[in-house]
Amino acid sequence: MLKKMLLFFILILSLSCKNEIEFDTTSPKNIDSLLVVKPDSLNNPKEQNTAFEGLATLTIDEKWPIKIHYNPETSVIINKNISVYGFQVLQVLKTKIYNQSNDYYVINFSEEPSADPGFSIYKVHQDSLEHISSLKGTELFIPGNGCLYTCGHTDNMFNHRKKYSLSNNDIIETKQPFYFVGIESKTTADVILYENINYKNIVAKLPKGTQVIVLLAQDDNYLFKTPFGLLGWTKIDENSYHGIPIKEIFFNGD
């Protein structure tokens, strides 16, 4: 009798812990030909970004790779392929952007028609989903502090790291004075570095093959560090596909 009462109590407790909004998490047939998420890690040092400890990781597409880092305590994995305007979209998970709020959001992933990966954010209403924003990137971080963070080299010249804040049912990018580049490479052409972005006073002339570190970017202006430690600005066409004068800096998109 005592054993039956204990089992009954466990059943009631498990039912009471379910999320208030449920989704159909069954995968469609022929899933091998579709996008699918793979739970990778929870507090795995090899996967963990030290800026956001305690997040679990989902890998969606290993060829990029595409990853979403999320709080498993406030999230439900959906893993369901749907069609939006004729394009395949993966509904990845339902989660909170701000843990102290009662609002939930659905995160979709799509490569769009021309292999431009990005995430779409929908607010969950009682019987509908409201599109809030679409963010480009190959990784999305949802730490639950009311902000979203993305990174990735897609539809831009290098890996952009961005922060977005949830404000009045909108998602707004937090402006930065510069984007961090952090690329160590060799020049693929001769480079002239200048004192500032007015490009008047020359700091250094670097021949092709010089080892440099690209530190910062502001629009199409890039701050270089020479082997000696000098700093100077040079301009790289923001629509260049050629990887000149740094092979890792090129427009990756259409």
Side-chain angles (χ1 to χ4, degrees), residues 43-62:
N43 297 324
N44 184 340
K46 293 182 179 180
E47 293 287 344
Q48 192 61 231
N49 184 301
T50 55
F52 306 102
E53 296 181 353
L55 301 183
T57 299
L58 292 173
T59 295
I60 299 171
D61 191 333
E62 294 178 341

Side-chain angles (χ1 to χ4, degrees), residues 93-145:
L93 78 164
K94 180 199 75 171
T95 189
K96 288 185 176 183
I97 295 177
Y98 183 50
N99 288 341
Q100 305 305 314
S101 170
N102 292 324
D103 293 331
Y104 279 89
Y105 296 81
V106 166
I107 312 297
N108 288 357
F109 169 76
S110 172
E111 294 184 359
E112 299 186 348
S114 54
D116 296 322
F119 306 94
S120 296
I121 318 299
Y122 292 81
K123 186 175 182 179
V124 176
H125 295 288
Q126 186 172 0
D127 55 359
S128 65
L129 297 176
E130 176 188 3
H131 182 258
I132 301 297
S133 183
S134 294
L135 310 178
K136 292 291 185 181
T138 58
E139 289 192 66
L140 174 66
F141 296 81
I142 315 170
N145 61 355

Side-chain angles (χ1 to χ4, degrees), residues 72-88:
E73 296 183 0
T74 57
S75 305
V76 175
I77 297 175
I78 303 173
N79 191 23
K80 182 177 182 180
N81 281 268
I82 61 174
S83 177
V84 177
Y85 300 115
F87 298 108
Q88 180 181 299

